[in-house]
Structure formats: C-alpha cells, structure tokens
Amino acid sequence: MAGGIGSRFWPMSRTAHPKQFLDILGTGRSLLQQTFDRVLKICPADQIYVVTNESYIDLVKNQLPEISIDQILGEPLRRNTAPCIAYATYKIAISNPNANIMVAPSDHVIADDIAFEKAIVLAMDFTEKNDSLVTLGIHPSRPDTGYGYIQYVDKPVDNSDSLFKVKTFTEKPNLDMAKFFLSSGDFLWNAGIFVWSLKSIRAAFEKYLPEMHTLFTEGSENFGTKNEAKFIKNTYALCTNISIDYGIMEKADNVFVLPSEFGWSDLGTWGSLYDHTTKDKNDNAIVGKNVMMYDSMNNIVNVPANKLVVLQGLDGYIVVQSDDLLLVCKKEDEQQIKTYVNDVKLNKGDKWV
C-alpha cells in the first residue's frame, strides 16, 4: 500500500512526492524501495503488487523498474485501506484464486529483515491451512498513544504455538489507557501488516462489506483490460471510505495475531524517525553531510547534503529543510505539524504542501 501523503512528515513529504518515495533514513533507497527489497526475499517480483494513487504511478515505475505496469494499481480517490486491499485482492483472484497474500504498508521501517521474513512465512503457513485472517502485532516498548492496540487471548491456538486469537482492537488510546495496556501484558501494537488466503479475505468482504464485495465482483472481467481504469474509477466513487481494521478485522471471528519483534516503526512522525536514526554524542539525530551543531542536544535535523547548516543553542527541536521550505519546531509539539500544513495551504496556497 503506497497511496498516502504523509502530511506529518511535511515539509519533506509533500502531496506531489510523499514520504514513501523519499530516502528519509539516508540509506540510498526510498521507503518504498526498502519495502520492495524486503518483500522480494519472500516472493518473486512478478507477484508483488503496489496499490497507489494514480498520480504516483510514474513515481512507482521509476523507483521499481523490476515490476510491470500491470502490477501497479492506481487508485482514483483516497478511500482508506479497505478499498485499497479489495482492489488488489479481486485483481489477483483473476490470475490466482488460490493465492496466499501478505499486505504491508510501504512506508514502515523494519530493522530486522530476517525476523520479519520468519514471521511472514510462519503466518502464511498458518493461513494456507486455516480459514483465518492474521495480523502482526508488535510487543510495545512504551505507552505510545500514536498506535492502535490489539488484545489477545493468552493461550495459543491448537495447531500453532505462536499465534493467538484476537480479543479486541482498540484505536489510539489516551496516555493513561496506553499505560494500562502496557502493564497488562496482553496488548500489542497494531502494525497494519496482514496475512490471509485470498479465499478467506474474499469471504470476509462478502460477509462484512457486502456492497464493496459486489462492486468489485460484478466488474471483475475488466481486470487486466483497457477498461480497468474506468471500472476502478466508477467503483471507487461508490466505495465507502473505511479502513480494513474497522470494516473487517474488528468484526470477524477468525482473526489471529502473531506477536512479533523485528524492529518495527510506522515512521509516522519526525519523533519516530528520531528513534531510528543514529545520534551524535549530544543525542542529535542528523541527516545531512554539512551540519554543524553548537551547544545543541536532543534535536533531529534533516537537510539536503549540499546545504551547510549551522545551529546553536537548540534543545529538543525538529529542523527540516526541503527545497524552498524550512520547518523549525519543538519535538514535543510535532502533532501540530498537520495544523501547520492546513494553515499553510489556506494562507499560502497548494504549492507549498
């Protein structure tokens, strides 16, 4: 899934070039490319599909020349994750009705690729043999209010010692509730990574999102033809804007979770990037080859390599330069960045966002 705009990573992430297409970590590969590299260890390139906004199709083609244009699915509208997943599912069904499927966001960070691969293979082995919907849950390391949580039954399922039946899904909690979840020991962060057989997820769409199921089923003959784009445009106009979590996962009775640890972050904010970036002796996380820091600590700085930046006397700030934009704000106030983006759009125009 590669269709988001990543507004909390403004000004690096902008509508025309959002964060999944950026080398935010300074590795030489964008987040999308890193995700592709990771998935390529699990299945061949011709079985990897990217669902993105139709305005980003060329970006995907340029960054992933290994896949064909037929594997890049362009969404005409942003309708959340359920229609996105439905589009890929019902298209794959035409060529491989017995497929076993993994769904992953394109803009997450995973530090341990080997542990990730082991988790996915284990989950896929389970979904191949069982009518089940599996989600990967991350052992929480702190009471984070930015993630959804999964509560699970503490006894593993009979034919697996690693998967557990899901009790409840909880949206992003307040801090007191997050602390309770952490102390209880039976809650995991919801990573938004799913594994299921095509038959199981189609059955779930038919039961819990029947209108969406009907929309994609009735026009399935258009997949792989010159009429696909027109069919998808008409279908998306009628689709409910709903997440797969709310539309299916929170309602289905065959949902299981695989508790996992592979150095995961959804990289949703500059603060989360700070946690995944090497620090200097004063705990400054710096991306940029020509940054000079004086009497400064606990900052995250992200500037182009060809810019010389001198900073003095900052403690706990985000400093980001991207093209013609400069953002300086306190790390503790990073949730306000969405507000800044809206204000900029309103007062200065779309070109800045």
Side-chain angles (χ1 to χ4, degrees):
M1 299 183 289
I5 59 175
S7 61
R8 288 181 293 174
F9 261 102
W10 185 85
M12 274 193 69
S13 180
R14 296 165 76 168
T15 302
H17 204 94
K19 68 172 180 176
Q20 60 268 29
F21 303 108
L22 301 175
D23 178 18
I24 287 179
L25 296 173
T27 64
R29 298 283 281 174
S30 72
L31 295 175
L32 172 66
Q33 290 171 321
Q34 289 183 55
T35 303
F36 177 81
D37 296 342
R38 190 178 304 122
V39 175
L40 195 59
K41 299 173 183 176
I42 300 170
C43 68
D46 62 2
Q47 294 179 29
I48 299 174
Y49 288 78
V50 179
V51 188
T52 189
N53 188 273
E54 60 184 15
S55 61
Y56 303 146
I57 288 177
D58 286 342
L59 279 172
V60 176
K61 282 197 311 186
N62 290 336
Q63 292 203 357
L64 299 179
E66 302 92 338
I67 66 176
S68 71
I69 189 64
D70 191 53
Q71 294 166 253
I72 305 172
L73 314 187
E75 296 181 288
L77 302 166
R78 291 184 175 89
R79 283 288 187 264
N80 217 315
T81 53
C84 165
I85 290 170
Y87 183 4
T89 299
Y90 288 76
K91 183 179 175 76
I92 291 169
I94 301 300
S95 58
N96 188 1
N98 296 313
N100 209 7
I101 298 173
M102 179 193 70
V103 179
S106 62
D107 56 358
H108 289 188
V109 170
I110 290 172
D112 189 341
D113 285 353
I114 294 175
F116 174 78
E117 181 180 351
K118 288 180 179 178
I120 295 300
V121 170
L122 193 157
M124 295 191 93
D125 182 65
F126 184 79
T127 56
E128 190 174 25
K129 299 171 183 175
N130 300 275
D131 177 18
S132 58
L133 309 174
V134 172
T135 182
L136 270 59
I138 307 300
H139 290 288
S141 58
R142 60 186 182 277
D144 200 302
T145 60
Y147 297 146
Y149 286 74
I150 302 167
Q151 185 183 25
Y152 62 97
V153 179
D154 58 6
K155 181 180 179 181
V157 294
D158 291 341
N159 51 348
S160 171
D161 60 359
S162 303
L163 285 106
F164 301 80
K165 194 82 186 303
V166 170
K167 274 187 185 178
T168 59
F169 287 86
T170 303
E171 296 301 316
K172 298 173 184 177
N174 60 35
L175 183 58
D176 288 341
M177 188 61 70
K179 288 179 178 177
F180 169 75
F181 289 166
L182 187 65
S183 63
S184 72
D186 59 350
F187 282 84
L188 304 165
W189 285 336
N190 186 354
I193 302 170
F194 309 104
V195 178
W196 43 53
S197 70
L198 190 144
K199 292 178 180 177
S200 292
I201 192 60
R202 278 194 62 163
F205 271 105
E206 185 173 11
K207 183 174 182 178
Y208 301 107
L209 292 172
E211 293 180 356
M212 197 175 296
H213 168 76
T214 299
L215 285 170
F216 281 96
T217 300
E218 288 184 344
S220 60
E221 70 277 1
N222 292 291
F223 287 121
T225 74
K226 63 181 181 180
N227 298 320
E228 181 173 331
K230 181 180 179 181
F231 160 63
I232 290 299
K233 184 176 182 179
N234 294 335
T235 298
Y236 264 64
L238 299 173
C239 273
T240 304
N241 187 332
I242 191 170
S243 70
I244 197 72
D245 297 83
Y246 187 74
I248 290 179
M249 301 299 281
E250 294 181 15
K251 298 177 174 66
D253 58 5
N254 60 336
V255 178
F256 300 84
V257 64
L258 174 60
S260 305
E261 290 188 31
F262 37 71
W264 170 89
S265 171
D266 75 344
L267 212 60
T269 63
W270 286 108
S272 60
L273 178 60
Y274 178 83
D275 294 336
H276 284 269
T277 307
T278 302
K279 319 291 191 303
D280 67 11
K281 63 181 180 180
N282 294 313
D283 288 327
N284 296 303
I286 301 171
V287 177
K289 294 182 179 179
N290 297 295
V291 179
M292 301 175 68
M293 307 286 286
Y294 297 90
D295 303 319
S296 297
M297 60 197 69
N298 307 312
N299 302 294
I300 179 164
V301 181
N302 193 302
V303 297
N306 63 339
K307 295 290 183 179
L308 172 62
V309 177
V310 181
L311 299 172
Q312 187 273 333
L314 295 184
D315 184 356
Y317 274 80
I318 299 166
V319 180
V320 183
Q321 183 179 14
S322 177
D323 298 327
D324 48 3
L325 280 168
L326 174 66
L327 170 72
V328 181
C329 76
K330 292 181 179 179
K331 281 196 311 187
E332 63 190 46
D333 294 329
E334 69 174 352
Q335 296 300 331
Q336 296 296 317
I337 290 178
K338 276 195 171 184
T339 301
Y340 305 154
V341 173
N342 290 335
D343 289 346
V344 167
K345 184 175 182 179
L346 181 64
N347 294 294
K348 300 298 182 180
D350 291 347
K351 65 170 282 190
W352 302 102
V353 298

